Amino acid sequence: MTPKAFRLLCFLSFVAVCSPSAFAQSNADDKRAPIVKETESNWKRARKWTLDYIDAMPENATSFKPTPEIRSFAEQMLHLAFWNYAIAESLGGKASPYGKKQETLEQREDVKTKAALRNVVEESYNSLLAAVAGLDEAKMLEQVSIFNSKTTRLTVLAYALDHQAHHRGQTTIYLRLKGLTPPPEP
């Protein structure tokens, strides 16, 4: 599949999830644009599912790697956290407290305990959600440059949501190899 076809597939999947019926206003006092509310809802759900995965992995298995050449469970989750922070900053949010190099966060031993890992990942989602909350519909649909192409902030968020779902999905195997049942994603 070409990169352009993959981006289109990701975008169309996101559009299907964000159909007009999904934009029904659930709180009359909430004046934010439906597109912002739905994006926020999708990311809150992703945060919950990711934290459920971290909670499911025993403390003594956060460093588990199915094979030596791939990321450990903790490194997979820290990879998600790094990109959550990077996207949040690009949306106008605050800078990551862990710097701009992905490897810097993924290789830090002090954040690989279960409690520290959960905290870093949760903070990264909260940072991204705060950045989304600061957007309106015009900002969401504004063109931005990313990875040498132009797209909207909404599409960037859709790509990022797909990216983190991909890596969380990889950790399903880590849990299964440890004899655990992954948390449900209803």
Side-chain angles (χ1 to χ4, degrees):
M1 179 178 295
T2 67
K4 187 174 183 176
F6 177 73
R7 286 192 304 268
L8 178 61
L9 178 63
C10 291
F11 180 72
L12 292 174
S13 298
F14 185 75
V15 169
V17 170
C18 298
S19 66
S21 63
F23 290 134
Q25 188 167 352
S26 60
N27 182 346
D29 295 333
D30 192 346
K31 304 295 185 205
R32 294 173 304 141
I35 200 167
V36 176
K37 290 190 294 186
E38 185 64 26
T39 300
E40 188 176 72
S41 175
N42 288 334
W43 279 95
K44 284 180 178 178
R45 187 176 56 254
R47 175 183 60 193
K48 181 199 178 311
W49 289 343
T50 302
L51 295 176
D52 286 350
Y53 271 61
I54 293 170
D55 292 342
M57 185 61 91
E59 172 75 40
N60 66 355
T62 59
S63 62
F64 174 67
K65 291 181 171 191
T67 63
E69 55 280 335
I70 65 174
R71 292 180 178 108
S72 69
F73 179 86
E75 290 165 349
Q76 288 281 16
M77 294 299 177
L78 292 169
H79 177 75
L80 295 182
F82 172 83
W83 284 104
N84 286 349
Y85 278 122
I87 297 298
E89 184 175 354
S90 76
L91 294 175
K94 64 180 183 176
S96 170
Y98 301 100
K100 294 193 180 286
K101 290 189 175 178
Q102 178 177 317
E103 298 79 19
T104 302
L105 181 55
E106 287 182 27
Q107 299 308 318
R108 283 182 59 157
E109 293 302 318
D110 64 317
V111 294
K112 290 184 181 176
T113 66
K114 186 171 177 172
L117 176 64
R118 190 183 200 289
N119 187 52
V120 169
V121 171
E122 186 170 22
E123 285 176 0
S124 76
Y125 277 96
N126 292 345
S127 180
L128 190 141
L129 282 161
V132 168
L135 300 175
D136 58 19
E137 185 172 3
K139 283 284 190 191
M140 287 287 273
L141 299 175
E142 187 176 84
Q143 292 280 313
V144 294
S145 293
I146 187 166
F147 303 124
N148 298 319
S149 65
K150 285 249 188 213
T151 191
T152 65
R153 285 184 178 88
L154 178 61
T155 301
V156 170
L157 284 161
Y159 292 162
L161 192 64
D162 189 51
H163 172 257
Q164 61 84 47
H166 164 79
H167 287 288
R168 185 177 61 246
Q170 288 177 316
T171 65
T172 297
I173 302 304
Y174 293 52
L175 291 167
R176 293 261 184 221
L177 288 171
K178 286 296 182 183
L180 303 166
T181 300
E185 292 189 17

